[in-house]
Amino acid sequence: MVTSSDASKFIYRDESVPPLTPFEVKVGAYNNKGDGPFSPIVVISSAEGEPSAAPTDVKATGLSVSEILVAWSHNKDSLGRPQGFEVGYWKDMEEEEAAEKARSEGNESSVILTGLEGNTLYHLRVKAYNSAGYGPPSNIVHVATKKSPPSQAPNIMWVQDGPHISLGWEPVKPLANESDVMGYKVLFRQEGHSNSQVIETQKTSAVVLLPDIGVYIIEVCAVSEGGDGTPSSQIRIPSFSGGKVTNSQSRLNAFTTSSSTVTFLLVLMVPSTSW
């Protein structure tokens, strides 16, 4: 009996009731004349408890100099349904109490930790949570981020033959604390555009076909497991169609003089009306 006519809720307490116990409930009003009609019966479950089991099969993989992928499995025998999972992670030589936190929601069973320090060992635990609280943590897992990408930028040499651009550069040599070079990326885009096209190669040379008339911006960077290295200085190259010269333009021709030396000849091409 709820004796206040303004009451709109009632809390039933019974510490012996297990989580998620279903109750049939109906509500009716009464006054000094008697009872009014009851509401339809609804089924209400008692609140669930916090998750009772720790996540299992926790695995962590260093993706780059600043990212780690963490994945796990949810123990389906756990009482208390998880609303999500929380990963606590901290650097080696730090205390677990100083751990930073990252969360996933729902049934997601992985999360990518970002903003980490390169070439650094991290420790981490995973635990489930819901509105009642946190479940027990998993075992500690250890993982290291990748070394930093190469800091040396490629020094580009190039030769233009109409819309074809032949590029070459010396191999990039990483420092001792940097990731090994796995290959190179050539990025080129038309001036005024933000999206770059990418050519990937394991060689120290590449040929780029500039598809449209206009000025193109080209740069090259080394690729490592720690990420992309420092890009080269940008070069600006005009693309021409059919060899037609409409404005003053320079064409760079290369002549091999020995096995290790290339001499570049700059030829200025201008319309005949300019003479």
Side-chain angles (χ1 to χ4, degrees):
M1 303 291 289
V2 181
T3 57
S4 172
S5 61
D6 296 327
S8 60
K9 67 179 181 180
F10 170 73
I11 298 176
Y12 172 71
R13 300 183 184 277
D14 186 340
E15 299 296 336
S16 66
V17 174
L20 301 179
T21 298
F23 287 84
E24 291 185 346
V25 179
K26 62 180 180 179
V27 180
Y30 71 94
N31 59 18
N32 56 5
K33 296 293 186 180
D35 296 339
F38 279 87
S39 68
I41 294 175
V42 297
V43 176
I44 299 176
S45 295
S46 59
E48 61 184 344
E50 66 272 7
S52 61
T56 58
D57 299 325
V58 179
K59 296 179 175 62
T61 305
L63 296 181
S64 69
V65 66
S66 62
E67 296 178 321
I68 290 174
L69 170 64
V70 185
W72 58 87
S73 297
H74 171 52
N75 191 329
K76 295 182 179 179
D77 294 331
S78 173
L79 298 176
R81 296 169 298 181
Q83 294 177 343
F85 297 86
E86 183 177 274
V87 179
Y89 57 99
W90 63 98
K91 291 187 291 187
D92 193 33
M93 307 303 292
E94 291 183 343
E95 298 296 330
E96 184 175 356
E97 289 73 18
E100 297 188 62
K101 306 293 194 302
R103 279 190 169 190
S104 71
E105 296 183 356
N107 294 323
E108 293 181 10
S109 58
S110 66
V111 67
I112 294 178
L113 309 179
T114 61
L116 308 177
E117 292 187 15
N119 196 23
T120 301
L121 178 65
Y122 282 85
H123 312 293
L124 58 90
R125 289 182 188 267
V126 184
K127 54 188 176 182
Y129 69 88
N130 60 18
S131 59
Y134 289 94
S138 68
N139 294 329
I140 295 178
V141 174
H142 316 283
V143 61
T145 51
K146 303 293 186 182
K147 291 183 178 180
S148 301
S151 57
Q152 178 188 345
N155 185 21
I156 306 175
M157 298 175 290
W158 55 276
V159 177
Q160 181 177 9
D161 183 9
H164 294 86
I165 309 300
S166 297
L167 303 167
W169 56 89
E170 292 293 327
V172 170
K173 297 180 180 179
L175 301 177
N177 62 342
E178 296 176 344
S179 298
D180 292 336
V181 175
M182 301 168 58
Y184 299 89
K185 284 183 182 178
V186 179
L187 301 95
F188 62 100
R189 60 182 173 85
Q190 197 167 18
E191 193 171 47
H193 294 71
S194 58
N195 294 329
S196 294
Q197 299 183 57
V198 180
I199 296 175
E200 296 189 13
T201 179
Q202 293 183 335
K203 301 178 180 179
T204 56
S205 62
V207 177
V208 177
L209 173 62
L210 306 182
D212 301 313
I213 297 176
V215 176
Y216 282 80
I217 297 173
I218 302 177
E219 59 185 354
V220 178
C221 68
V223 177
S224 73
E225 64 176 8
D228 293 346
T230 302
S232 66
S233 298
Q234 294 181 345
I235 57 176
R236 298 175 72 256
I237 302 178
S239 175
F240 304 104
S241 176
K244 182 179 179 181
V245 180
T246 56
N247 292 293
S248 296
Q249 66 188 68
S250 61
R251 182 178 177 185
L252 193 63
N253 298 297
F255 298 89
T256 302
T257 58
S258 70
S259 60
S260 60
T261 304
V262 177
T263 301
F264 291 91
L265 175 63
L266 183 63
V267 181
L268 184 65
M269 302 172 62
V270 298
S272 59
T273 55
S274 300
W275 295 91

